[in-house]
Each structure stands twice: as structure tokens, then as C-alpha cells.
Amino acid sequence: MQRITHPPRPDWARRVETELGFVFHSPDGTVYWDETAHWAFSEAQIDQIEDAATAFHALALRAADRAVEQGRIGELGVPGFAVAAVAESWRRFRDGDMLEAPIYGRLDLAWTGEGPPALLEYNAATPTSLYETSVVQWHWLEDAGPSIQPGADQFNLLHEALVEAWRARGDALAGRPVHFTAADVAEDMATAGYLQAIATEAGLATKLVAINDIEFDEADRRFFDPDGTPIEALFSLYPPEWMLREDWGAPLIEAIEAGRLVLFEPLWKQMLSKGILALMHEIAPDHPGLLKAAFQPTAFGPGEQVVAKPMAGREGDGIEIVTLGPDGMPLPDSVVRQIGAGPRIAGDEGWVYQAFTPLAPAPGINGGPAGHAVLGVWVISDKAVALGIREDAGAITGVASRFVPHLFTPAAKD
């Protein structure tokens, strides 16, 4: 595992825009897509990442099962009015209902190439950087790879796996169209549009609509798109934890429970919030790479460095790296937060505390040493299928963290 620097492709920005429609590579003039470097792996290292992510996913499902069976869904930040629906969604999934099966998710791993990869968190419902992982870095490999590393490959079966995942739902949908939605911003709508294209490729009827253009009809108790078409199946990139806290959150649950609406990802995916880390640790404290995690900082000892994570935080928002004092609470002068972070968020849904682990080093500000890289491993149908890497100049990955492509060298065949 090595970070290698090199010049970017000439005219790469124009090309990714015109050839791929990748228009959010440099938001507000900052670098998001960064091809001045790549991460290089051996095939054995990719196998290790793949196996670790697949095992973490399986363990997360065991933890969700525990949350349902022990009546602990509320501990995972799910609001009370949605708990019964989340539990029922889980039971239907366990009974083999294809419409409750997960489509995708992204596990964030810390790894320096030594020891087992460590799980930082599971972004199970609305993970970011999908298009960059699936399409843009593959375009980079095919275009620049032969001159950088002849014969190189990439851990990237994401597009093919997503097509199969949608195709597998065709019979269960029985002709119902799937609406795809997201917040009306360039990155989110482009990603939702990409997912819509994949579902269309899989043979499904689809439609794209911004979340603010969806209307709820009080009389019919249904949701409608701007053309007046009732929405029967909805894939949403708008975060579910936000959806449930909107005015239409309770009607959404009501429509799902009444069978008027199918939601992708399924409701039970909300259990795989940051809080699932604590339940995973309860189940398998000795699992390779699984960091100690708990709902209270007092589970750790004085002097330990821990990462405090708000249950519903996104893109590093609210995350703090702290050292605990003699009273088990963070020492005020030890707190490390995102670069440019605003006031500490409330974390009303609760917090989870996780043991700190070093991340792979990447360039910091002005080439300084403080940066890091996180491995985002995509899981489709219970199997890890692709890798995307984000770098940040600070200690915490955020919305502005860079995306850097990767490749690996296939093992020699006998």
C-alpha cells in the first residue's frame, strides 16, 4: 500500500465533464477529484481489504438482529414513532422479502497496510462518492493506467454489482416504477441520476425527482411527483435520519406500514448508524480490526484517546478526537475537530465513542504531516465489490475531503 504522486492527465477536467458528466470535481474552486496521486496495492492487500469488509458487514447484520431481538432499536438513534416499522422491515428482510434486501453500503476502514483493516463506521443508507468510485476512477485507470502502471487493475465491480442488485428486484416490484430522489444540489442529483440510469439498465421503470418537488396528499395519504404520479417505490439519497424528522416523516412511516410505499434503502438500514459500532463490539469484542466502541465515554479509561461520534452526524460533522481525563470526560484542551468546523452539534440522537486508531498518512496543509486517507469499501448483496479512497488535510474526513484513485498489481499466475 503506497501513495504515488505524478502529473494529472492533460485537460482532465474538461474530459471528465464532457465524457462522464462529472461536474462536481472542483466545487467552489477546491480540489475534490485529485489525480495528482494514486494509491497502489498488491492483489493480496486488496483481498485482505475485501475479506475484512465482507466480514464487518456480516457482523453488522448480527448486531442489527440483536437490536431487534433485545428491543434496543431506539439506542441507535431511531425516533420512537419509527421503531416498530424498522423492526417489521427487519423481520420481512429476514423472511426473504426482496424489497427489504439492502442494495448497497460503504464501510469506511482505517489501514496502513499493517495488521487487519479497522472499521471506522458503516455508511449504510446514503453513502457518498458512488459515482467517483464506480465511473470516474475507472475512467482514470483505463486512460492513465497503462502509462503509470502497465497491467494494473482496480478493485471496482461496483457498476456491474448495482445492475444485478436492481435486476434482482424486478419481479418483486411487479412493474411499479421507482422514483429516485435527492436534495436539489449538483452532486446529489447527479448521483441519484446515475443510480436511476443503473436501474433503467436493469430493466426497471424509473423517474428522477428532487426531494422538494415531492408532495404529500393529506386526503390520499400518498406521496406524488410534480406530474401528479403517485410514488409507489422511492430510492432516496436524502438522509433517512433527516426524512424522519421532517413534517412528513410520520406520514412516510404510515405509508410504508400500509404498503402504499416501498422505500430503498429499507427502513431497517437506519439501525446501521454509528451506534451499531457499540453493538458490534458487544457481540464480538475480539473480531480482527473491530475497535472498542460504547455508548458512554466511561467505558474507556483516563488517558485513552477516543473518537466521539454523534449518532446522526454526516461527513465528519460533529466528530471529535479527544483524550479522556481522570473523570472519564474529554480533556478540553485535547479536542481535535474538522478543519473549519462550526459550533459543536447537539447530537440529540445520542453519541457513540470509539477507540482511536491511526490512519494511512496523506499530505496535510501545504504538504504538512497532518493529513490522512480512509478506505471506503462498497458492499453489494453481502459482498465487498469496490474501493474508493478519500484524503483530508486534517485528522477527520469531511465533505471536502479529496477523492484519490487507486490501482493494484495482479498477482503473477503460474
Side-chain angles (χ1 to χ4, degrees):
M1 178 180 179
Q2 188 178 7
R3 189 180 192 278
I4 300 172
T5 59
H6 42 68
R9 291 172 291 171
D11 201 23
W12 67 268
R14 183 195 62 79
R15 291 190 57 200
V16 298
E17 289 177 15
T18 57
E19 297 175 21
L20 307 179
F22 182 43
V23 296
F24 50 95
H25 53 75
S26 307
D28 300 323
T30 60
V31 176
Y32 172 60
W33 169 260
D34 184 359
E35 60 175 69
T36 62
H38 73 272
W39 286 88
F41 298 85
S42 67
E43 185 169 342
Q45 289 175 323
I46 290 295
D47 289 344
Q48 192 172 352
I49 293 168
E50 179 181 356
D51 292 345
T54 300
F56 283 135
H57 166 76
L59 183 57
L61 296 190
R62 287 176 56 197
D65 205 37
R66 168 174 286 212
V68 174
E69 295 305 316
Q70 296 184 351
R72 302 174 63 184
I73 296 174
E75 291 182 44
L76 302 175
V78 177
F81 71 87
V83 165
V86 167
E88 183 57 27
S89 169
W90 174 258
R91 294 188 181 101
R92 288 198 300 269
F93 163 54
R94 282 311 202 196
D95 288 342
D97 186 340
M98 199 60 206
L99 297 181
E100 299 292 340
I103 293 175
Y104 70 166
R106 194 196 74 227
L107 291 143
D108 284 348
L109 306 183
W111 202 40
T112 61
E114 302 292 332
L119 175 62
L120 298 176
E121 62 188 58
Y122 198 164
N123 301 280
T126 53
T128 59
S129 73
L130 176 76
Y131 190 67
E132 303 88 295
T133 299
S134 179
V135 175
V136 185
Q137 69 166 348
W138 183 255
H139 180 268
W140 168 84
L141 178 73
E142 289 194 314
D143 195 31
S147 60
I148 293 175
Q149 179 64 48
D153 203 345
Q154 192 173 85
F155 181 29
N156 195 353
L157 297 171
L158 188 49
H159 184 94
E160 296 85 348
L162 282 168
V163 171
E164 288 306 311
W166 279 114
R167 185 171 290 142
R169 285 153 178 80
D171 289 344
L173 282 165
R176 282 175 287 185
V178 182
H179 284 73
F180 288 77
T181 193
D184 193 9
V185 296
E187 177 180 350
D188 292 2
M189 288 301 290
T191 302
Y194 172 58
L195 284 161
Q196 179 205 11
I198 291 174
T200 303
E201 182 180 338
L204 304 182
T206 65
K207 198 169 185 178
L208 181 65
V209 57
I211 191 80
N212 287 339
D213 291 335
I214 294 176
E215 295 187 359
F216 176 68
D217 186 280
E218 289 283 353
D220 285 345
R221 311 301 293 171
R222 290 177 181 273
F223 293 88
F224 290 82
D225 69 19
D227 296 327
T229 303
I231 297 175
E232 300 177 88
L234 179 67
F235 183 97
S236 175
L237 279 182
Y238 191 72
E241 62 270 23
W242 295 359
M243 293 172 71
L244 295 186
R245 287 162 179 81
E246 300 279 3
D247 292 341
W248 40 269
L252 179 77
I253 294 295
E254 173 194 319
I256 294 170
E257 289 184 308
R260 294 191 292 269
L261 178 68
V262 174
L263 182 67
F264 300 110
E265 291 284 81
L267 271 180
W268 66 261
K269 273 291 194 84
Q270 292 186 73
M271 292 191 289
L272 303 190
S273 67
K274 294 177 177 63
I276 204 68
L277 298 168
L279 295 189
M280 292 170 70
H281 190 260
E282 283 183 16
I283 292 173
D286 298 324
H287 184 97
L290 186 66
L291 302 169
K292 181 178 179 180
F295 293 113
Q296 300 295 332
T298 49
F300 299 84
E304 287 193 70
Q305 196 172 25
V306 303
V307 183
K309 301 181 175 185
M311 207 85 75
R314 299 184 60 81
E315 300 276 14
D317 188 20
I319 288 180
E320 297 175 344
I321 302 171
V322 304
T323 300
L324 299 177
D327 60 354
M329 300 307 291
L331 293 171
D333 59 356
S334 74
V335 177
V336 176
R337 304 177 66 194
Q338 270 187 313
I339 296 173
R344 191 178 197 264
I345 71 171
D348 292 339
E349 299 81 12
W351 292 72
V352 67
Y353 301 83
Q354 184 184 51
F356 175 81
T357 191
L359 307 175
I365 298 176
N366 297 323
H372 74 272
V374 168
L375 311 183
V377 186
W378 292 82
V379 174
I380 311 285
S381 301
D382 299 328
K383 182 174 171 50
V385 298
L387 171 66
I389 300 176
R390 300 282 298 277
E391 294 182 353
D392 197 278
I396 297 169
T397 306
V399 67
S401 297
R402 306 180 298 262
F403 189 104
V404 178
H406 82 277
L407 55 72
F408 72 88
T409 303
K413 305 298 183 185
D414 293 333

mmCIF file of all heavy atoms in Angstrom, residues 354-386:
data_model
loop_
_atom_site.group_PDB
_atom_site.id
_atom_site.type_symbol
_atom_site.label_atom_id
_atom_site.label_comp_id
_atom_site.label_asym_id
_atom_site.label_seq_id
_atom_site.Cartn_x
_atom_site.Cartn_y
_atom_site.Cartn_z
ATOM 1 N N GLN A 354 -15.567 5.624 20.233
ATOM 2 C CA GLN A 354 -14.791 4.554 19.601
ATOM 3 C C GLN A 354 -13.308 4.786 19.865
ATOM 4 O O GLN A 354 -12.826 5.932 19.828
ATOM 5 C CB GLN A 354 -15.059 4.555 18.084
ATOM 6 C CG GLN A 354 -14.396 3.439 17.312
ATOM 7 C CD GLN A 354 -14.640 3.588 15.811
ATOM 8 O OE1 GLN A 354 -14.407 4.646 15.235
ATOM 9 N NE2 GLN A 354 -15.122 2.537 15.171
ATOM 10 N N ALA A 355 -12.581 3.702 20.104
ATOM 11 C CA ALA A 355 -11.139 3.825 20.322
ATOM 12 C C ALA A 355 -10.472 4.423 19.089
ATOM 13 O O ALA A 355 -10.815 4.086 17.956
ATOM 14 C CB ALA A 355 -10.543 2.457 20.629
ATOM 15 N N PHE A 356 -9.530 5.317 19.320
ATOM 16 C CA PHE A 356 -8.802 5.949 18.216
ATOM 17 C C PHE A 356 -7.839 4.952 17.588
ATOM 18 O O PHE A 356 -7.249 4.115 18.277
ATOM 19 C CB PHE A 356 -8.021 7.158 18.733
ATOM 20 C CG PHE A 356 -7.145 7.815 17.692
ATOM 21 C CD1 PHE A 356 -7.694 8.706 16.787
ATOM 22 C CD2 PHE A 356 -5.787 7.518 17.619
ATOM 23 C CE1 PHE A 356 -6.904 9.309 15.819
ATOM 24 C CE2 PHE A 356 -4.983 8.118 16.655
ATOM 25 C CZ PHE A 356 -5.539 9.010 15.758
ATOM 26 N N THR A 357 -7.689 5.042 16.278
ATOM 27 C CA THR A 357 -6.689 4.237 15.570
ATOM 28 C C THR A 357 -6.013 5.097 14.521
ATOM 29 O O THR A 357 -6.660 5.971 13.915
ATOM 30 C CB THR A 357 -7.338 3.001 14.915
ATOM 31 O OG1 THR A 357 -6.308 2.110 14.449
ATOM 32 C CG2 THR A 357 -8.238 3.385 13.750
ATOM 33 N N PRO A 358 -4.736 4.900 14.266
ATOM 34 C CA PRO A 358 -4.040 5.710 13.247
ATOM 35 C C PRO A 358 -4.595 5.406 11.848
ATOM 36 O O PRO A 358 -5.018 4.287 11.562
ATOM 37 C CB PRO A 358 -2.583 5.277 13.368
ATOM 38 C CG PRO A 358 -2.482 4.586 14.690
ATOM 39 C CD PRO A 358 -3.818 3.993 14.977
ATOM 40 N N LEU A 359 -4.562 6.412 10.983
ATOM 41 C CA LEU A 359 -4.989 6.263 9.597
ATOM 42 C C LEU A 359 -3.772 6.342 8.685
ATOM 43 O O LEU A 359 -2.705 6.805 9.094
ATOM 44 C CB LEU A 359 -5.990 7.367 9.242
ATOM 45 C CG LEU A 359 -7.191 7.518 10.177
ATOM 46 C CD1 LEU A 359 -8.032 8.725 9.763
ATOM 47 C CD2 LEU A 359 -8.036 6.258 10.175
ATOM 48 N N ALA A 360 -3.947 5.890 7.460
ATOM 49 C CA ALA A 360 -2.843 5.984 6.498
ATOM 50 C C ALA A 360 -2.483 7.453 6.281
ATOM 51 O O ALA A 360 -3.365 8.287 6.079
ATOM 52 C CB ALA A 360 -3.255 5.342 5.182
ATOM 53 N N PRO A 361 -1.209 7.804 6.336
ATOM 54 C CA PRO A 361 -0.831 9.220 6.188
ATOM 55 C C PRO A 361 -0.983 9.701 4.756
ATOM 56 O O PRO A 361 -0.738 8.968 3.801
ATOM 57 C CB PRO A 361 0.638 9.234 6.625
ATOM 58 C CG PRO A 361 1.126 7.852 6.356
ATOM 59 C CD PRO A 361 -0.052 6.936 6.582
ATOM 60 N N ALA A 362 -1.420 10.938 4.624
ATOM 61 C CA ALA A 362 -1.536 11.614 3.327
ATOM 62 C C ALA A 362 -1.124 13.061 3.551
ATOM 63 O O ALA A 362 -1.063 13.527 4.690
ATOM 64 C CB ALA A 362 -2.970 11.526 2.804
ATOM 65 N N PRO A 363 -0.837 13.807 2.483
ATOM 66 C CA PRO A 363 -0.367 15.179 2.662
ATOM 67 C C PRO A 363 -1.334 16.039 3.457
ATOM 68 O O PRO A 363 -2.557 15.955 3.297
ATOM 69 C CB PRO A 363 -0.245 15.686 1.221
ATOM 70 C CG PRO A 363 0.001 14.469 0.416
ATOM 71 C CD PRO A 363 -0.816 13.399 1.071
ATOM 72 N N GLY A 364 -0.793 16.859 4.325
ATOM 73 C CA GLY A 364 -1.598 17.793 5.094
ATOM 74 C C GLY A 364 -1.628 19.147 4.419
ATOM 75 O O GLY A 364 -1.437 19.264 3.210
ATOM 76 N N ILE A 365 -1.864 20.154 5.186
ATOM 77 C CA ILE A 365 -1.900 21.507 4.637
ATOM 78 C C ILE A 365 -0.495 21.924 4.214
ATOM 79 O O ILE A 365 0.461 21.801 4.985
ATOM 80 C CB ILE A 365 -2.471 22.485 5.685
ATOM 81 C CG1 ILE A 365 -3.906 22.087 6.033
ATOM 82 C CG2 ILE A 365 -2.411 23.917 5.168
ATOM 83 C CD1 ILE A 365 -4.514 22.919 7.126
ATOM 84 N N ASN A 366 -0.382 22.397 2.959
ATOM 85 C CA ASN A 366 0.915 22.813 2.421
ATOM 86 C C ASN A 366 1.971 21.722 2.569
ATOM 87 O O ASN A 366 3.130 21.991 2.887
ATOM 88 C CB ASN A 366 1.384 24.100 3.102
ATOM 89 C CG ASN A 366 0.448 25.264 2.843
ATOM 90 O OD1 ASN A 366 -0.096 25.394 1.749
ATOM 91 N ND2 ASN A 366 0.243 26.094 3.856
ATOM 92 N N GLY A 367 1.549 20.467 2.343
ATOM 93 C CA GLY A 367 2.500 19.367 2.417
ATOM 94 C C GLY A 367 2.855 18.947 3.821
ATOM 95 O O GLY A 367 3.762 18.132 4.020
ATOM 96 N N GLY A 368 2.154 19.443 4.825
ATOM 97 C CA GLY A 368 2.435 19.088 6.221
ATOM 98 C C GLY A 368 2.070 17.642 6.518
ATOM 99 O O GLY A 368 1.490 16.950 5.689
ATOM 100 N N PRO A 369 2.351 17.175 7.711
ATOM 101 C CA PRO A 369 2.196 15.759 8.024
ATOM 102 C C PRO A 369 0.842 15.359 8.598
ATOM 103 O O PRO A 369 0.643 14.206 8.957
ATOM 104 C CB PRO A 369 3.289 15.538 9.079
ATOM 105 C CG PRO A 369 3.335 16.854 9.806
ATOM 106 C CD PRO A 369 3.036 17.917 8.766
ATOM 107 N N ALA A 370 -0.106 16.295 8.679
ATOM 108 C CA ALA A 370 -1.297 16.003 9.469
ATOM 109 C C ALA A 370 -2.406 15.297 8.703
ATOM 110 O O ALA A 370 -3.419 14.941 9.280
ATOM 111 C CB ALA A 370 -1.869 17.303 10.060
ATOM 112 N N GLY A 371 -2.238 15.092 7.385
ATOM 113 C CA GLY A 371 -3.323 14.521 6.605
ATOM 114 C C GLY A 371 -3.467 13.025 6.783
ATOM 115 O O GLY A 371 -2.655 12.360 7.429
ATOM 116 N N HIS A 372 -4.532 12.468 6.172
ATOM 117 C CA HIS A 372 -4.796 11.035 6.298
ATOM 118 C C HIS A 372 -5.623 10.561 5.118
ATOM 119 O O HIS A 372 -6.187 11.356 4.367
ATOM 120 C CB HIS A 372 -5.561 10.743 7.593
ATOM 121 C CG HIS A 372 -6.995 11.166 7.521
ATOM 122 N ND1 HIS A 372 -7.406 12.432 7.858
ATOM 123 C CD2 HIS A 372 -8.100 10.505 7.096
ATOM 124 C CE1 HIS A 372 -8.711 12.528 7.676
ATOM 125 N NE2 HIS A 372 -9.167 11.371 7.208
ATOM 126 N N ALA A 373 -5.710 9.237 4.959
ATOM 127 C CA ALA A 373 -6.560 8.617 3.935
ATOM 128 C C ALA A 373 -7.448 7.573 4.594
ATOM 129 O O ALA A 373 -7.029 6.882 5.526
ATOM 130 C CB ALA A 373 -5.701 7.961 2.861
ATOM 131 N N VAL A 374 -8.695 7.473 4.103
ATOM 132 C CA VAL A 374 -9.653 6.475 4.579
ATOM 133 C C VAL A 374 -10.094 5.626 3.393
ATOM 134 O O VAL A 374 -10.362 6.148 2.300
ATOM 135 C CB VAL A 374 -10.875 7.156 5.227
ATOM 136 C CG1 VAL A 374 -12.004 6.157 5.457
ATOM 137 C CG2 VAL A 374 -10.478 7.810 6.541
ATOM 138 N N LEU A 375 -10.176 4.319 3.613
ATOM 139 C CA LEU A 375 -10.606 3.400 2.561
ATOM 140 C C LEU A 375 -12.113 3.208 2.655
ATOM 141 O O LEU A 375 -12.622 2.772 3.690
ATOM 142 C CB LEU A 375 -9.911 2.043 2.713
ATOM 143 C CG LEU A 375 -8.385 2.063 2.896
ATOM 144 C CD1 LEU A 375 -7.860 0.619 2.944
ATOM 145 C CD2 LEU A 375 -7.710 2.839 1.788
ATOM 146 N N GLY A 376 -12.825 3.529 1.579
ATOM 147 C CA GLY A 376 -14.268 3.312 1.538
ATOM 148 C C GLY A 376 -14.576 2.083 0.699
ATOM 149 O O GLY A 376 -14.371 2.082 -0.520
ATOM 150 N N VAL A 377 -15.034 1.016 1.340
ATOM 151 C CA VAL A 377 -15.260 -0.260 0.645
ATOM 152 C C VAL A 377 -16.757 -0.456 0.453
ATOM 153 O O VAL A 377 -17.525 -0.456 1.421
ATOM 154 C CB VAL A 377 -14.658 -1.437 1.437
ATOM 155 C CG1 VAL A 377 -14.781 -2.722 0.626
ATOM 156 C CG2 VAL A 377 -13.203 -1.159 1.772
ATOM 157 N N TRP A 378 -17.165 -0.648 -0.793
ATOM 158 C CA TRP A 378 -18.586 -0.774 -1.122
ATOM 159 C C TRP A 378 -19.032 -2.226 -1.023
ATOM 160 O O TRP A 378 -18.339 -3.137 -1.508
ATOM 161 C CB TRP A 378 -18.841 -0.226 -2.522
ATOM 162 C CG TRP A 378 -18.643 1.259 -2.569
ATOM 163 C CD1 TRP A 378 -17.461 1.922 -2.688
ATOM 164 C CD2 TRP A 378 -19.662 2.261 -2.437
ATOM 165 N NE1 TRP A 378 -17.681 3.286 -2.654
ATOM 166 C CE2 TRP A 378 -19.017 3.506 -2.501
ATOM 167 C CE3 TRP A 378 -21.042 2.216 -2.287
ATOM 168 C CZ2 TRP A 378 -19.707 4.710 -2.409
ATOM 169 C CZ3 TRP A 378 -21.740 3.411 -2.203
ATOM 170 C CH2 TRP A 378 -21.076 4.639 -2.260
ATOM 171 N N VAL A 379 -20.179 -2.417 -0.411
ATOM 172 C CA VAL A 379 -20.740 -3.763 -0.225
ATOM 173 C C VAL A 379 -22.079 -3.832 -0.953
ATOM 174 O O VAL A 379 -22.965 -2.998 -0.740
ATOM 175 C CB VAL A 379 -20.939 -4.079 1.267
ATOM 176 C CG1 VAL A 379 -21.665 -5.408 1.448
ATOM 177 C CG2 VAL A 379 -19.588 -4.115 1.974
ATOM 178 N N ILE A 380 -22.205 -4.813 -1.847
ATOM 179 C CA ILE A 380 -23.451 -5.068 -2.566
ATOM 180 C C ILE A 380 -23.822 -6.529 -2.334
ATOM 181 O O ILE A 380 -22.981 -7.420 -2.515
ATOM 182 C CB ILE A 380 -23.296 -4.834 -4.083
ATOM 183 C CG1 ILE A 380 -22.624 -3.492 -4.379
ATOM 184 C CG2 ILE A 380 -24.651 -4.954 -4.786
ATOM 185 C CD1 ILE A 380 -23.467 -2.287 -4.189
ATOM 186 N N SER A 381 -25.071 -6.768 -1.952
ATOM 187 C CA SER A 381 -25.535 -8.150 -1.766
ATOM 188 C C SER A 381 -24.574 -8.951 -0.892
ATOM 189 O O SER A 381 -24.142 -10.055 -1.261
ATOM 190 C CB SER A 381 -25.725 -8.832 -3.123
ATOM 191 O OG SER A 381 -26.666 -8.128 -3.903
ATOM 192 N N ASP A 382 -24.210 -8.404 0.229
ATOM 193 C CA ASP A 382 -23.409 -9.071 1.264
ATOM 194 C C ASP A 382 -21.941 -9.279 0.884
ATOM 195 O O ASP A 382 -21.222 -9.988 1.580
ATOM 196 C CB ASP A 382 -24.004 -10.438 1.644
ATOM 197 C CG ASP A 382 -25.409 -10.305 2.207
ATOM 198 O OD1 ASP A 382 -25.695 -9.280 2.854
ATOM 199 O OD2 ASP A 382 -26.224 -11.228 1.996
ATOM 200 N N LYS A 383 -21.491 -8.680 -0.192
ATOM 201 C CA LYS A 383 -20.113 -8.898 -0.615
ATOM 202 C C LYS A 383 -19.432 -7.585 -0.969
ATOM 203 O O LYS A 383 -20.022 -6.735 -1.645
ATOM 204 C CB LYS A 383 -20.100 -9.837 -1.831
ATOM 205 C CG LYS A 383 -18.706 -10.175 -2.335
ATOM 206 C CD LYS A 383 -18.758 -11.220 -3.435
ATOM 207 C CE LYS A 383 -17.394 -11.402 -4.084
ATOM 208 N NZ LYS A 383 -16.292 -11.619 -3.136
ATOM 209 N N ALA A 384 -18.183 -7.420 -0.534
ATOM 210 C CA ALA A 384 -17.410 -6.227 -0.894
ATOM 211 C C ALA A 384 -17.062 -6.279 -2.372
ATOM 212 O O ALA A 384 -16.593 -7.314 -2.876
ATOM 213 C CB ALA A 384 -16.141 -6.154 -0.049
ATOM 214 N N VAL A 385 -17.274 -5.148 -3.079
ATOM 215 C CA VAL A 385 -17.093 -5.167 -4.536
ATOM 216 C C VAL A 385 -16.225 -4.032 -5.073
ATOM 217 O O VAL A 385 -15.855 -4.066 -6.253
ATOM 218 C CB VAL A 385 -18.460 -5.121 -5.259
ATOM 219 C CG1 VAL A 385 -19.301 -6.338 -4.918
ATOM 220 C CG2 VAL A 385 -19.213 -3.828 -4.933
ATOM 221 N N ALA A 386 -15.918 -3.024 -4.282
ATOM 222 C CA ALA A 386 -15.187 -1.881 -4.846
ATOM 223 C C ALA A 386 -14.552 -1.052 -3.738
ATOM 224 O O ALA A 386 -14.959 -1.124 -2.564
ATOM 225 C CB ALA A 386 -16.129 -1.002 -5.679
#
